[in-house]
Amino acid sequence: MKELLKFNREEYRNSASEIIKARAVAEEIADKISKEGYENIFFSAVGGSLAPMMAVGEFAKELTDLPVYIEQAAELIISNNKRLNEKSVLITLSKSGDTKETVAIAKHCKEKGIRVISCTGNPESPLAKASTYVVPMKHKKGVEYEYMLLYWLFFRFLHNRGDFDKYDEFAKGLENIPQNLEKIKESFDPKAKEIASKHFDAPIQYWIGSREMWGEVYLFSMCILEEMQWIKTKSVTSPEFFHGTLELIDKDTSVFLVKSESKSRDLDERCQKFLEKYTDKLVIIDTQEYALNNFPKEFRWIVAPLICSTCLVDRLAAHFESYTGHNLDYRRYYRQFDY
Amino acid sequence: MKELLKFNREEYRNSASEIIKARAVAEEIADKISKEGYENIFFSAVGGSLAPMMAVGEFAKELTDLPVYIEQAAELIISNNKRLNEKSVLITLSKSGDTKETVAIAKHCKEKGIRVISCTGNPESPLAKASTYVVPMKHKKGVEYEYMLLYWLFFRFLHNRGDFDKYDEFAKGLENIPQNLEKIKESFDPKAKEIASKHFDAPIQYWIGSREMWGEVYLFSMCILEEMQWIKTKSVTSPEFFHGTLELIDKDTSVFLVKSESKSRDLDERCQKFLEKYTDKLVIIDTQEYALNNFPKEFRWIVAPLICSTCLVDRLAAHFESYTGHNLDYRRYYRQFDY
């Protein structure tokens, strides 16, 4: 088996087992609340933890008429949202369990008698203590594992409402995703190295994607490239690209287009057609290039963000680090002092 | 009266009269549909026309439990949104009335028996023809006029549901906003000139704001600076700034913070405190510095985006143009050919 830059295979596999063990916990919580009844679901977090929730919000639009709201935690707490009430369910996510804004919204809701489900790594954390239910999120690294927990939770809710018939097949298939992602990491790795070598010193990177892939575009550009590499980025959705950002493109502009596997692919391909003409520095990230074994084909579009995440947040970030020489763990401001 | 760079006072006043005339039309449509009944409202447009809708989406969260959805038109049309049905109302906006994606979503909805209200300047335009109702939007320039029409429409809907008691006072006050904005343009103008002179050649501009002000931050950075000035920008919300973008700030970074007049102001001030320490090139855009005559104080936070818009899209853009020498009307790609 190939050694990959900064990839700890054993740790990744152990993380998979930990997450798969939590599936039953997530499902039990969804079943209990489904029996009790609820009127809407709020997903709330900050930064990178919002990204998987953004994808869930897009699936919700197509699959259910249940109102599902995705809210930045700090904004939700100050906004006095009228739809957030005792009949709501709040789902939060923070690996460390000490993210200030996320702990605050959980506390705020629990005090108001709103059921709070938190995905978090530490059962003793402030977030866990402020929650009604905790889904243990005990992986070491990998945003894909955060998606998996949220999916088991959310799609189980939908299944219980009659909005997602093939839940069992989907949920079982999800357990096979980590093995698939290991192989995908291997295939993508040389491409990641090549991309990093060509673009690590670009004055700015443009990142584009749409709907269920947007969270990954948002996360990678802001929480990885900006925060951990101090690389300038601008991210924009594929359809909105044509309402401003397009004018900045010239032959020498580094542009990254993340293609969706859903109907949004048309929106991405409209960008691709334009970009292929006007820049020589276009990079396409297309999850469709990678096979998934033991996973139902009809749900590929739902796990595409996980494939994208493993390629970018794991592989591409590692290779950017090796070219820029900027340690991914170094911060000058973030969590260095109070602000 | 002071002459202002590229400001046609007579045209601005005529525009105000045209828009104020349309108030009754907007209200009549809202009243008719309120009587018929409806279950949710979708606001859908693209680019700059989405900005005022984003603000409306934020007001909706605080003021009503009616589901209100803000959707990019191209994404809405391909997403098969389950909540969009014959009991929905679609509100679109496009001044020209020929914006491809907006016309498409209007047609799509009308064919499905969904009531479509469009704010548009030309009653013979494809958008007008694809709509059930048209609110005439006959101003020449000024995003504030687009806000005004949307407000008379939306807050009348809320009033009819019992969610906005003081509608009459608010709606009447709105008629006095253009006169106020004329004066605000005059006060802001020297500041706009100074800002432009200091920042027109910055390698990138960071724009920050939150909730009801976010639309303006989004619009000005993308649809004006990127599209019309080819200036690089990154926009990010005040609370999300702390989850990535902050690491890019140094003493020499041009940062623009738009302050809200609602409870979100705390989120903006958290940014301000940080930014005052770490950059020497911070610009604060604070609508609270400007008086509003004959307008109820309690609704200031709702019209703050209009003040911001007139300061940025009108004044600041004009001064940027005069320093960069880049004509605001020149495009190399946008609407120059099919893409």
PDB file of all heavy atoms in Angstrom, chain A residues 47 61-62 66 72 79 82 218 226 240 245 247 249 332-334, chain B residues 47 61-62 72 79 82-83 218 226 240 245 247 249 332-334:
ATOM      1  N   GLY A  47     -18.154  28.297  10.976  1.00  0.00           N
ATOM      2  CA  GLY A  47     -16.993  27.964  10.147  1.00  0.00           C
ATOM      3  C   GLY A  47     -17.109  26.608   9.463  1.00  0.00           C
ATOM      4  O   GLY A  47     -18.139  26.276   8.876  1.00  0.00           O
ATOM      5  N   LYS A  61     -34.131  20.621   0.697  1.00  0.00           N
ATOM      6  CA  LYS A  61     -34.994  21.311  -0.266  1.00  0.00           C
ATOM      7  C   LYS A  61     -35.634  20.342  -1.247  1.00  0.00           C
ATOM      8  O   LYS A  61     -36.783  20.500  -1.644  1.00  0.00           O
ATOM      9  CB  LYS A  61     -34.187  22.349  -1.056  1.00  0.00           C
ATOM     10  CG  LYS A  61     -33.754  23.540  -0.238  1.00  0.00           C
ATOM     11  CD  LYS A  61     -32.886  24.478  -1.076  1.00  0.00           C
ATOM     12  CE  LYS A  61     -32.279  25.570  -0.205  1.00  0.00           C
ATOM     13  NZ  LYS A  61     -31.289  26.375  -0.940  1.00  0.00           N
ATOM     14  N   GLU A  62     -34.873  19.350  -1.666  1.00  0.00           N
ATOM     15  CA  GLU A  62     -35.383  18.431  -2.690  1.00  0.00           C
ATOM     16  C   GLU A  62     -36.193  17.287  -2.109  1.00  0.00           C
ATOM     17  O   GLU A  62     -37.012  16.682  -2.794  1.00  0.00           O
ATOM     18  CB  GLU A  62     -34.222  17.807  -3.478  1.00  0.00           C
ATOM     19  CG  GLU A  62     -33.389  18.834  -4.168  1.00  0.00           C
ATOM     20  CD  GLU A  62     -32.912  18.384  -5.539  1.00  0.00           C
ATOM     21  OE1 GLU A  62     -33.405  17.372  -6.075  1.00  0.00           O
ATOM     22  OE2 GLU A  62     -32.027  19.061  -6.072  1.00  0.00           O
ATOM     23  N   LEU A  66     -40.530  19.364   5.168  1.00  0.00           N
ATOM     24  CA  LEU A  66     -40.195  19.785   6.535  1.00  0.00           C
ATOM     25  C   LEU A  66     -39.317  21.036   6.470  1.00  0.00           C
ATOM     26  O   LEU A  66     -38.328  21.061   5.742  1.00  0.00           O
ATOM     27  CB  LEU A  66     -39.411  18.667   7.224  1.00  0.00           C
ATOM     28  CG  LEU A  66     -38.842  18.998   8.610  1.00  0.00           C
ATOM     29  CD1 LEU A  66     -39.943  18.967   9.665  1.00  0.00           C
ATOM     30  CD2 LEU A  66     -37.720  18.031   8.988  1.00  0.00           C
ATOM     31  N   GLN A  72     -25.885  30.184  11.037  1.00  0.00           N
ATOM     32  CA  GLN A  72     -24.621  30.453  11.718  1.00  0.00           C
ATOM     33  C   GLN A  72     -24.953  30.679  13.206  1.00  0.00           C
ATOM     34  O   GLN A  72     -25.870  31.441  13.539  1.00  0.00           O
ATOM     35  CB  GLN A  72     -23.990  31.705  11.084  1.00  0.00           C
ATOM     36  CG  GLN A  72     -22.477  31.755  11.143  1.00  0.00           C
ATOM     37  CD  GLN A  72     -21.945  32.318  12.447  1.00  0.00           C
ATOM     38  OE1 GLN A  72     -22.688  32.826  13.278  1.00  0.00           O
ATOM     39  NE2 GLN A  72     -20.636  32.211  12.618  1.00  0.00           N
ATOM     40  N   SER A  79     -30.653  36.621  16.860  1.00  0.00           N
ATOM     41  CA  SER A  79     -31.703  37.050  15.925  1.00  0.00           C
ATOM     42  C   SER A  79     -33.128  36.843  16.415  1.00  0.00           C
ATOM     43  O   SER A  79     -34.067  37.305  15.791  1.00  0.00           O
ATOM     44  CB  SER A  79     -31.533  36.358  14.576  1.00  0.00           C
ATOM     45  OG  SER A  79     -31.898  35.005  14.697  1.00  0.00           O
ATOM     46  N   LYS A  82     -38.175  33.556  15.014  1.00  0.00           N
ATOM     47  CA  LYS A  82     -39.534  33.200  15.419  1.00  0.00           C
ATOM     48  C   LYS A  82     -39.873  31.732  15.182  1.00  0.00           C
ATOM     49  O   LYS A  82     -40.844  31.214  15.714  1.00  0.00           O
ATOM     50  CB  LYS A  82     -40.523  34.052  14.618  1.00  0.00           C
ATOM     51  CG  LYS A  82     -40.956  35.294  15.354  1.00  0.00           C
ATOM     52  CD  LYS A  82     -42.385  35.650  14.947  1.00  0.00           C
ATOM     53  CE  LYS A  82     -42.961  36.698  15.859  1.00  0.00           C
ATOM     54  NZ  LYS A  82     -44.338  37.054  15.472  1.00  0.00           N
ATOM     55  N   TYR A 218     -16.698  26.600   0.333  1.00  0.00           N
ATOM     56  CA  TYR A 218     -16.649  27.609   1.399  1.00  0.00           C
ATOM     57  C   TYR A 218     -15.614  27.223   2.451  1.00  0.00           C
ATOM     58  O   TYR A 218     -14.760  28.020   2.831  1.00  0.00           O
ATOM     59  CB  TYR A 218     -18.050  27.696   2.013  1.00  0.00           C
ATOM     60  CG  TYR A 218     -18.209  28.679   3.147  1.00  0.00           C
ATOM     61  CD1 TYR A 218     -18.430  30.026   2.887  1.00  0.00           C
ATOM     62  CD2 TYR A 218     -18.160  28.260   4.479  1.00  0.00           C
ATOM     63  CE1 TYR A 218     -18.593  30.934   3.927  1.00  0.00           C
ATOM     64  CE2 TYR A 218     -18.324  29.163   5.520  1.00  0.00           C
ATOM     65  CZ  TYR A 218     -18.544  30.492   5.246  1.00  0.00           C
ATOM     66  OH  TYR A 218     -18.708  31.389   6.268  1.00  0.00           O
ATOM     67  N   GLU A 226      -7.327  30.141   3.689  1.00  0.00           N
ATOM     68  CA  GLU A 226      -7.125  31.433   4.366  1.00  0.00           C
ATOM     69  C   GLU A 226      -6.560  31.227   5.769  1.00  0.00           C
ATOM     70  O   GLU A 226      -5.535  31.808   6.130  1.00  0.00           O
ATOM     71  CB  GLU A 226      -8.442  32.230   4.423  1.00  0.00           C
ATOM     72  CG  GLU A 226      -8.906  32.676   3.038  1.00  0.00           C
ATOM     73  CD  GLU A 226     -10.116  33.604   3.037  1.00  0.00           C
ATOM     74  OE1 GLU A 226     -10.754  33.790   4.101  1.00  0.00           O
ATOM     75  OE2 GLU A 226     -10.445  34.134   1.973  1.00  0.00           O
ATOM     76  N   GLU A 240     -23.740  32.379  -9.519  1.00  0.00           N
ATOM     77  CA  GLU A 240     -23.466  33.776  -9.172  1.00  0.00           C
ATOM     78  C   GLU A 240     -22.142  34.275  -9.746  1.00  0.00           C
ATOM     79  O   GLU A 240     -21.938  35.483  -9.885  1.00  0.00           O
ATOM     80  CB  GLU A 240     -23.510  33.964  -7.649  1.00  0.00           C
ATOM     81  CG  GLU A 240     -24.933  33.949  -7.095  1.00  0.00           C
ATOM     82  CD  GLU A 240     -25.730  35.201  -7.465  1.00  0.00           C
ATOM     83  OE1 GLU A 240     -25.572  36.234  -6.788  1.00  0.00           O
ATOM     84  OE2 GLU A 240     -26.520  35.132  -8.433  1.00  0.00           O
ATOM     85  N   THR A 245     -17.969  38.181 -10.520  1.00  0.00           N
ATOM     86  CA  THR A 245     -16.600  37.662 -10.431  1.00  0.00           C
ATOM     87  C   THR A 245     -15.991  37.347 -11.794  1.00  0.00           C
ATOM     88  O   THR A 245     -14.777  37.467 -11.986  1.00  0.00           O
ATOM     89  CB  THR A 245     -16.582  36.437  -9.501  1.00  0.00           C
ATOM     90  OG1 THR A 245     -17.286  36.775  -8.290  1.00  0.00           O
ATOM     91  CG2 THR A 245     -15.167  36.030  -9.128  1.00  0.00           C
ATOM     92  N   GLU A 247     -15.648  38.953 -14.377  1.00  0.00           N
ATOM     93  CA  GLU A 247     -14.864  40.037 -14.993  1.00  0.00           C
ATOM     94  C   GLU A 247     -13.390  40.039 -14.557  1.00  0.00           C
ATOM     95  O   GLU A 247     -12.560  40.686 -15.184  1.00  0.00           O
ATOM     96  CB  GLU A 247     -15.494  41.400 -14.693  1.00  0.00           C
ATOM     97  CG  GLU A 247     -16.793  41.682 -15.456  1.00  0.00           C
ATOM     98  CD  GLU A 247     -16.586  41.885 -16.968  1.00  0.00           C
ATOM     99  OE1 GLU A 247     -15.493  42.288 -17.384  1.00  0.00           O
ATOM    100  OE2 GLU A 247     -17.543  41.615 -17.720  1.00  0.00           O
ATOM    101  N   ILE A 249     -11.451  37.399 -14.406  1.00  0.00           N
ATOM    102  CA  ILE A 249     -10.711  36.258 -14.936  1.00  0.00           C
ATOM    103  C   ILE A 249      -9.850  36.669 -16.127  1.00  0.00           C
ATOM    104  O   ILE A 249     -10.334  37.251 -17.088  1.00  0.00           O
ATOM    105  CB  ILE A 249     -11.696  35.147 -15.393  1.00  0.00           C
ATOM    106  CG1 ILE A 249     -12.637  34.753 -14.242  1.00  0.00           C
ATOM    107  CG2 ILE A 249     -10.929  33.930 -15.933  1.00  0.00           C
ATOM    108  CD1 ILE A 249     -11.975  34.328 -12.962  1.00  0.00           C
ATOM    109  N   ARG A 332      -1.793  32.953  13.678  1.00  0.00           N
ATOM    110  CA  ARG A 332      -1.305  34.119  14.422  1.00  0.00           C
ATOM    111  C   ARG A 332      -2.378  34.709  15.325  1.00  0.00           C
ATOM    112  O   ARG A 332      -2.085  35.280  16.364  1.00  0.00           O
ATOM    113  CB  ARG A 332      -0.722  35.195  13.502  1.00  0.00           C
ATOM    114  CG  ARG A 332      -1.564  35.578  12.304  1.00  0.00           C
ATOM    115  CD  ARG A 332      -0.859  36.694  11.499  1.00  0.00           C
ATOM    116  NE  ARG A 332      -1.373  36.743  10.138  1.00  0.00           N
ATOM    117  CZ  ARG A 332      -0.992  37.643   9.232  1.00  0.00           C
ATOM    118  NH1 ARG A 332      -0.089  38.562   9.544  1.00  0.00           N
ATOM    119  NH2 ARG A 332      -1.495  37.628   8.006  1.00  0.00           N
ATOM    120  N   TYR A 333      -3.669  34.545  14.931  1.00  0.00           N
ATOM    121  CA  TYR A 333      -4.758  35.129  15.712  1.00  0.00           C
ATOM    122  C   TYR A 333      -5.744  34.082  16.253  1.00  0.00           C
ATOM    123  O   TYR A 333      -6.141  34.140  17.407  1.00  0.00           O
ATOM    124  CB  TYR A 333      -5.567  36.113  14.851  1.00  0.00           C
ATOM    125  CG  TYR A 333      -4.762  37.166  14.116  1.00  0.00           C
ATOM    126  CD1 TYR A 333      -4.834  37.271  12.723  1.00  0.00           C
ATOM    127  CD2 TYR A 333      -3.966  38.081  14.807  1.00  0.00           C
ATOM    128  CE1 TYR A 333      -4.135  38.255  12.041  1.00  0.00           C
ATOM    129  CE2 TYR A 333      -3.255  39.068  14.122  1.00  0.00           C
ATOM    130  CZ  TYR A 333      -3.350  39.144  12.738  1.00  0.00           C
ATOM    131  OH  TYR A 333      -2.663  40.110  12.061  1.00  0.00           O
ATOM    132  N   TYR A 334      -6.179  33.184  15.368  1.00  0.00           N
ATOM    133  CA  TYR A 334      -7.292  32.298  15.711  1.00  0.00           C
ATOM    134  C   TYR A 334      -7.032  31.499  16.983  1.00  0.00           C
ATOM    135  O   TYR A 334      -6.064  30.752  17.077  1.00  0.00           O
ATOM    136  CB  TYR A 334      -7.577  31.342  14.546  1.00  0.00           C
ATOM    137  CG  TYR A 334      -8.768  30.436  14.781  1.00  0.00           C
ATOM    138  CD1 TYR A 334     -10.056  30.957  14.858  1.00  0.00           C
ATOM    139  CD2 TYR A 334      -8.603  29.060  14.931  1.00  0.00           C
ATOM    140  CE1 TYR A 334     -11.148  30.134  15.081  1.00  0.00           C
ATOM    141  CE2 TYR A 334      -9.690  28.232  15.144  1.00  0.00           C
ATOM    142  CZ  TYR A 334     -10.959  28.781  15.226  1.00  0.00           C
ATOM    143  OH  TYR A 334     -12.039  27.953  15.450  1.00  0.00           O
TER     144      TYR A 334
ATOM    145  N   GLY B  47     -27.618  37.780  -8.629  1.00  0.00           N
ATOM    146  CA  GLY B  47     -26.663  38.880  -8.462  1.00  0.00           C
ATOM    147  C   GLY B  47     -27.179  39.996  -7.581  1.00  0.00           C
ATOM    148  O   GLY B  47     -27.740  39.763  -6.506  1.00  0.00           O
ATOM    149  N   LYS B  61     -37.086  36.300   9.489  1.00  0.00           N
ATOM    150  CA  LYS B  61     -36.749  35.412  10.610  1.00  0.00           C
ATOM    151  C   LYS B  61     -37.230  35.961  11.945  1.00  0.00           C
ATOM    152  O   LYS B  61     -37.657  35.225  12.809  1.00  0.00           O
ATOM    153  CB  LYS B  61     -35.225  35.217  10.687  1.00  0.00           C
ATOM    154  CG  LYS B  61     -34.665  34.376   9.562  1.00  0.00           C
ATOM    155  CD  LYS B  61     -33.138  34.296   9.661  1.00  0.00           C
ATOM    156  CE  LYS B  61     -32.568  33.626   8.413  1.00  0.00           C
ATOM    157  NZ  LYS B  61     -31.096  33.727   8.379  1.00  0.00           N
ATOM    158  N   GLU B  62     -37.125  37.285  12.094  1.00  0.00           N
ATOM    159  CA  GLU B  62     -37.478  37.878  13.380  1.00  0.00           C
ATOM    160  C   GLU B  62     -38.953  38.204  13.513  1.00  0.00           C
ATOM    161  O   GLU B  62     -39.475  38.302  14.610  1.00  0.00           O
ATOM    162  CB  GLU B  62     -36.712  39.193  13.583  1.00  0.00           C
ATOM    163  CG  GLU B  62     -35.233  39.010  13.555  1.00  0.00           C
ATOM    164  CD  GLU B  62     -34.509  39.902  14.562  1.00  0.00           C
ATOM    165  OE1 GLU B  62     -35.162  40.494  15.434  1.00  0.00           O
ATOM    166  OE2 GLU B  62     -33.282  39.980  14.457  1.00  0.00           O
ATOM    167  N   GLN B  72     -31.425  31.717  -5.134  1.00  0.00           N
ATOM    168  CA  GLN B  72     -30.814  32.134  -6.390  1.00  0.00           C
ATOM    169  C   GLN B  72     -31.631  31.494  -7.515  1.00  0.00           C
ATOM    170  O   GLN B  72     -31.924  30.290  -7.474  1.00  0.00           O
ATOM    171  CB  GLN B  72     -29.365  31.644  -6.398  1.00  0.00           C
ATOM    172  CG  GLN B  72     -28.399  32.474  -7.229  1.00  0.00           C
ATOM    173  CD  GLN B  72     -28.387  32.120  -8.704  1.00  0.00           C
ATOM    174  OE1 GLN B  72     -28.995  31.135  -9.133  1.00  0.00           O
ATOM    175  NE2 GLN B  72     -27.702  32.931  -9.491  1.00  0.00           N
ATOM    176  N   SER B  79     -33.566  22.800  -8.825  1.00  0.00           N
ATOM    177  CA  SER B  79     -33.509  22.013  -7.590  1.00  0.00           C
ATOM    178  C   SER B  79     -34.776  21.256  -7.244  1.00  0.00           C
ATOM    179  O   SER B  79     -34.779  20.444  -6.330  1.00  0.00           O
ATOM    180  CB  SER B  79     -33.123  22.909  -6.413  1.00  0.00           C
ATOM    181  OG  SER B  79     -34.218  23.757  -6.099  1.00  0.00           O
ATOM    182  N   LYS B  82     -39.203  21.118  -2.922  1.00  0.00           N
ATOM    183  CA  LYS B  82     -40.483  20.522  -2.517  1.00  0.00           C
ATOM    184  C   LYS B  82     -41.446  21.516  -1.886  1.00  0.00           C
ATOM    185  O   LYS B  82     -42.633  21.252  -1.768  1.00  0.00           O
ATOM    186  CB  LYS B  82     -40.216  19.414  -1.497  1.00  0.00           C
ATOM    187  CG  LYS B  82     -40.089  18.047  -2.127  1.00  0.00           C
ATOM    188  CD  LYS B  82     -40.612  16.995  -1.151  1.00  0.00           C
ATOM    189  CE  LYS B  82     -40.804  15.666  -1.840  1.00  0.00           C
ATOM    190  NZ  LYS B  82     -41.285  14.644  -0.898  1.00  0.00           N
ATOM    191  N   ARG B  83     -40.888  22.627  -1.393  1.00  0.00           N
ATOM    192  CA  ARG B  83     -41.764  23.586  -0.704  1.00  0.00           C
ATOM    193  C   ARG B  83     -42.383  24.582  -1.682  1.00  0.00           C
ATOM    194  O   ARG B  83     -43.235  25.378  -1.298  1.00  0.00           O
ATOM    195  CB  ARG B  83     -40.967  24.336   0.364  1.00  0.00           C
ATOM    196  CG  ARG B  83     -40.388  23.398   1.402  1.00  0.00           C
ATOM    197  CD  ARG B  83     -39.024  23.864   1.848  1.00  0.00           C
ATOM    198  NE  ARG B  83     -38.342  22.836   2.615  1.00  0.00           N
ATOM    199  CZ  ARG B  83     -37.064  22.902   2.963  1.00  0.00           C
ATOM    200  NH1 ARG B  83     -36.338  23.931   2.597  1.00  0.00           N
ATOM    201  NH2 ARG B  83     -36.512  21.926   3.640  1.00  0.00           N
ATOM    202  N   TYR B 218     -22.352  41.903  -0.064  1.00  0.00           N
ATOM    203  CA  TYR B 218     -22.257  40.944  -1.164  1.00  0.00           C
ATOM    204  C   TYR B 218     -22.353  41.669  -2.508  1.00  0.00           C
ATOM    205  O   TYR B 218     -21.535  41.471  -3.410  1.00  0.00           O
ATOM    206  CB  TYR B 218     -23.401  39.940  -0.996  1.00  0.00           C
ATOM    207  CG  TYR B 218     -23.493  38.868  -2.057  1.00  0.00           C
ATOM    208  CD1 TYR B 218     -22.711  37.723  -1.973  1.00  0.00           C
ATOM    209  CD2 TYR B 218     -24.389  38.976  -3.127  1.00  0.00           C
ATOM    210  CE1 TYR B 218     -22.804  36.724  -2.931  1.00  0.00           C
ATOM    211  CE2 TYR B 218     -24.489  37.986  -4.082  1.00  0.00           C
ATOM    212  CZ  TYR B 218     -23.695  36.856  -3.987  1.00  0.00           C
ATOM    213  OH  TYR B 218     -23.796  35.870  -4.937  1.00  0.00           O
ATOM    214  N   GLU B 226     -16.017  44.030  -8.263  1.00  0.00           N
ATOM    215  CA  GLU B 226     -15.469  43.008  -9.162  1.00  0.00           C
ATOM    216  C   GLU B 226     -15.930  43.245 -10.601  1.00  0.00           C
ATOM    217  O   GLU B 226     -15.126  43.313 -11.524  1.00  0.00           O
ATOM    218  CB  GLU B 226     -15.866  41.598  -8.689  1.00  0.00           C
ATOM    219  CG  GLU B 226     -15.205  41.217  -7.365  1.00  0.00           C
ATOM    220  CD  GLU B 226     -15.426  39.773  -6.929  1.00  0.00           C
ATOM    221  OE1 GLU B 226     -16.263  39.060  -7.537  1.00  0.00           O
ATOM    222  OE2 GLU B 226     -14.766  39.353  -5.972  1.00  0.00           O
ATOM    223  N   GLU B 240     -18.450  34.986  10.756  1.00  0.00           N
ATOM    224  CA  GLU B 240     -17.630  33.983  10.079  1.00  0.00           C
ATOM    225  C   GLU B 240     -16.213  34.482   9.798  1.00  0.00           C
ATOM    226  O   GLU B 240     -15.297  33.679   9.606  1.00  0.00           O
ATOM    227  CB  GLU B 240     -18.312  33.535   8.775  1.00  0.00           C
ATOM    228  CG  GLU B 240     -19.495  32.612   9.012  1.00  0.00           C
ATOM    229  CD  GLU B 240     -19.066  31.231   9.498  1.00  0.00           C
ATOM    230  OE1 GLU B 240     -18.686  30.379   8.677  1.00  0.00           O
ATOM    231  OE2 GLU B 240     -19.131  31.004  10.734  1.00  0.00           O
ATOM    232  N   THR B 245     -10.886  33.994   7.644  1.00  0.00           N
ATOM    233  CA  THR B 245     -10.367  35.189   6.982  1.00  0.00           C
ATOM    234  C   THR B 245      -9.477  36.045   7.885  1.00  0.00           C
ATOM    235  O   THR B 245      -8.542  36.697   7.401  1.00  0.00           O
ATOM    236  CB  THR B 245     -11.542  36.010   6.412  1.00  0.00           C
ATOM    237  OG1 THR B 245     -12.385  35.109   5.677  1.00  0.00           O
ATOM    238  CG2 THR B 245     -11.071  37.100   5.473  1.00  0.00           C
ATOM    239  N   GLU B 247      -7.019  35.446   9.600  1.00  0.00           N
ATOM    240  CA  GLU B 247      -5.577  35.179   9.537  1.00  0.00           C
ATOM    241  C   GLU B 247      -4.869  35.965   8.426  1.00  0.00           C
ATOM    242  O   GLU B 247      -3.650  36.058   8.412  1.00  0.00           O
ATOM    243  CB  GLU B 247      -5.327  33.672   9.358  1.00  0.00           C
ATOM    244  CG  GLU B 247      -5.600  32.838  10.615  1.00  0.00           C
ATOM    245  CD  GLU B 247      -4.592  33.077  11.746  1.00  0.00           C
ATOM    246  OE1 GLU B 247      -3.443  33.468  11.473  1.00  0.00           O
ATOM    247  OE2 GLU B 247      -4.968  32.881  12.921  1.00  0.00           O
ATOM    248  N   ILE B 249      -5.261  39.154   7.805  1.00  0.00           N
ATOM    249  CA  ILE B 249      -5.199  40.589   8.077  1.00  0.00           C
ATOM    250  C   ILE B 249      -3.813  40.989   8.579  1.00  0.00           C
ATOM    251  O   ILE B 249      -3.294  40.418   9.527  1.00  0.00           O
ATOM    252  CB  ILE B 249      -6.249  40.971   9.161  1.00  0.00           C
ATOM    253  CG1 ILE B 249      -7.647  40.518   8.733  1.00  0.00           C
ATOM    254  CG2 ILE B 249      -6.208  42.485   9.452  1.00  0.00           C
ATOM    255  CD1 ILE B 249      -8.119  41.009   7.393  1.00  0.00           C
ATOM    256  N   ARG B 332     -15.872  43.265 -20.009  1.00  0.00           N
ATOM    257  CA  ARG B 332     -15.253  42.501 -21.091  1.00  0.00           C
ATOM    258  C   ARG B 332     -16.042  41.236 -21.424  1.00  0.00           C
ATOM    259  O   ARG B 332     -16.045  40.774 -22.543  1.00  0.00           O
ATOM    260  CB  ARG B 332     -13.790  42.179 -20.795  1.00  0.00           C
ATOM    261  CG  ARG B 332     -13.487  41.587 -19.426  1.00  0.00           C
ATOM    262  CD  ARG B 332     -11.984  41.271 -19.298  1.00  0.00           C
ATOM    263  NE  ARG B 332     -11.576  41.179 -17.910  1.00  0.00           N
ATOM    264  CZ  ARG B 332     -10.343  40.896 -17.498  1.00  0.00           C
ATOM    265  NH1 ARG B 332      -9.389  40.661 -18.383  1.00  0.00           N
ATOM    266  NH2 ARG B 332     -10.052  40.822 -16.219  1.00  0.00           N
ATOM    267  N   TYR B 333     -16.740  40.684 -20.405  1.00  0.00           N
ATOM    268  CA  TYR B 333     -17.481  39.434 -20.614  1.00  0.00           C
ATOM    269  C   TYR B 333     -18.992  39.571 -20.390  1.00  0.00           C
ATOM    270  O   TYR B 333     -19.789  39.089 -21.180  1.00  0.00           O
ATOM    271  CB  TYR B 333     -16.980  38.342 -19.660  1.00  0.00           C
ATOM    272  CG  TYR B 333     -15.483  38.114 -19.632  1.00  0.00           C
ATOM    273  CD1 TYR B 333     -14.762  38.227 -18.438  1.00  0.00           C
ATOM    274  CD2 TYR B 333     -14.782  37.749 -20.787  1.00  0.00           C
ATOM    275  CE1 TYR B 333     -13.399  37.987 -18.394  1.00  0.00           C
ATOM    276  CE2 TYR B 333     -13.412  37.515 -20.744  1.00  0.00           C
ATOM    277  CZ  TYR B 333     -12.721  37.640 -19.542  1.00  0.00           C
ATOM    278  OH  TYR B 333     -11.375  37.403 -19.483  1.00  0.00           O
ATOM    279  N   TYR B 334     -19.343  40.193 -19.254  1.00  0.00           N
ATOM    280  CA  TYR B 334     -20.741  40.177 -18.822  1.00  0.00           C
ATOM    281  C   TYR B 334     -21.693  40.730 -19.887  1.00  0.00           C
ATOM    282  O   TYR B 334     -21.573  41.869 -20.305  1.00  0.00           O
ATOM    283  CB  TYR B 334     -20.903  40.971 -17.521  1.00  0.00           C
ATOM    284  CG  TYR B 334     -22.305  40.943 -16.958  1.00  0.00           C
ATOM    285  CD1 TYR B 334     -22.849  39.758 -16.479  1.00  0.00           C
ATOM    286  CD2 TYR B 334     -23.096  42.088 -16.926  1.00  0.00           C
ATOM    287  CE1 TYR B 334     -24.141  39.717 -15.968  1.00  0.00           C
ATOM    288  CE2 TYR B 334     -24.384  42.059 -16.412  1.00  0.00           C
ATOM    289  CZ  TYR B 334     -24.907  40.872 -15.938  1.00  0.00           C
ATOM    290  OH  TYR B 334     -26.185  40.839 -15.448  1.00  0.00           O
TER     291      TYR B 334
END
